[in-house]
Amino acid sequence: MAPRPAASRTDETAVRFLSAAAQLIDRGFLSVEQRGRHPANALKFPASIHWLRIEDVLRVAAASGQASRKSFHNRWPDKDSFIRDAIVYAMCYQDAPDRDPNVYLAAADGLFRDPDRFLEDTWDFSIAMFTGLLQDPRTFLMIHLTPSIAHYPEIQRAVDASMHEARELWRATYAGLILRLGLRLRDGWTVTSLDLTFQALIDGFLICDRARATLMDQGATAELFARAVCAVVSGALEPDTQPL
């Protein structure tokens, strides 16, 4: 009889545990319903995830297959090592590629066909994308963990690689749209600087929505975000190539 394969942090059983952790992260204080609530234990890294209990991971994982404490510890010797892997798993959407913000690239390709509708399409796309981001609790994971990630090189490397690939896709999309519609950027603007500006707007508006949830509903925040994006686009394009 062939020997049983050695336990791995990437095998089917490990993925079951990591997926369970991702579900719990989504259900936890990162979700919209938990605004204003904070876990009691915020001392150990990662402060915003340390509330995650192995007992809960085992319980959720058991719903989709065998998930014993022994099989868990055959893969992770302690809670901290598991949490680090769970963070990368969740942040890179390994359990839910259909929720990865990169899915909006397909929507961008379906719009922006008529130069005369460029700003209208920019508005529609910005509203749809930002509304989707606001409604997905996973969106806020990066914002919560960014201050701590730099102290953990293994997490930083994995997340940086995923983000680099995503940013390359977005920059290629922007460059393709500019070329397809016959637009030109003003001096001082590049596709990269445009991409960085859009990302800063996204991060800033997401943080403001969380911090000021009682001052503005999500629909109003999305509209304000769309206005900001349209303003940036109008300022970045050569006037003679912009639609009237």
Side-chain angles (χ1 to χ4, degrees), residues 4 21 27 59 76 109 114 144 164 179 220 243:
R4 177 181 299 178
R27 296 177 193 173
R59 174 178 53 78
W76 294 279
D109 191 56
D114 182 354
H144 283 292
H164 175 74
L179 179 64

Side-chain angles (χ1 to χ4, degrees), residues 84-144:
R84 287 195 289 271
D85 281 357
I87 287 171
V88 173
Y89 187 81
M91 291 179 79
C92 296
Y93 292 89
Q94 294 178 24
D95 63 317
D98 58 316
R99 291 166 56 191
D100 190 315
N102 289 337
V103 300
Y104 293 105
L105 288 169
D109 191 56
L111 295 171
F112 304 103
R113 296 291 177 176
D114 182 354
D116 292 333
R117 281 193 48 84
F118 180 68
L119 287 179
E120 287 86 347
D121 285 344
T122 299
W123 175 275
D124 292 342
F125 177 77
S126 299
I127 291 284
M129 181 187 70
F130 195 74
T131 300
L133 293 176
L134 282 175
Q135 293 174 348
D136 188 343
R138 193 75 60 86
T139 300
F140 298 93
L141 188 58
M142 178 70 77
I143 294 172
H144 283 292

Side-chain angles (χ1 to χ4, degrees), residues 1 10 22 39 78 88 99 124 135 144 152 156 173 178 225:
M1 186 168 69
T10 59
D78 51 48
V88 173
R99 291 166 56 191
D124 292 342
Q135 293 174 348
H144 283 292
Y152 294 83
Q156 185 80 64
T173 298
I178 290 171
F225 170 77

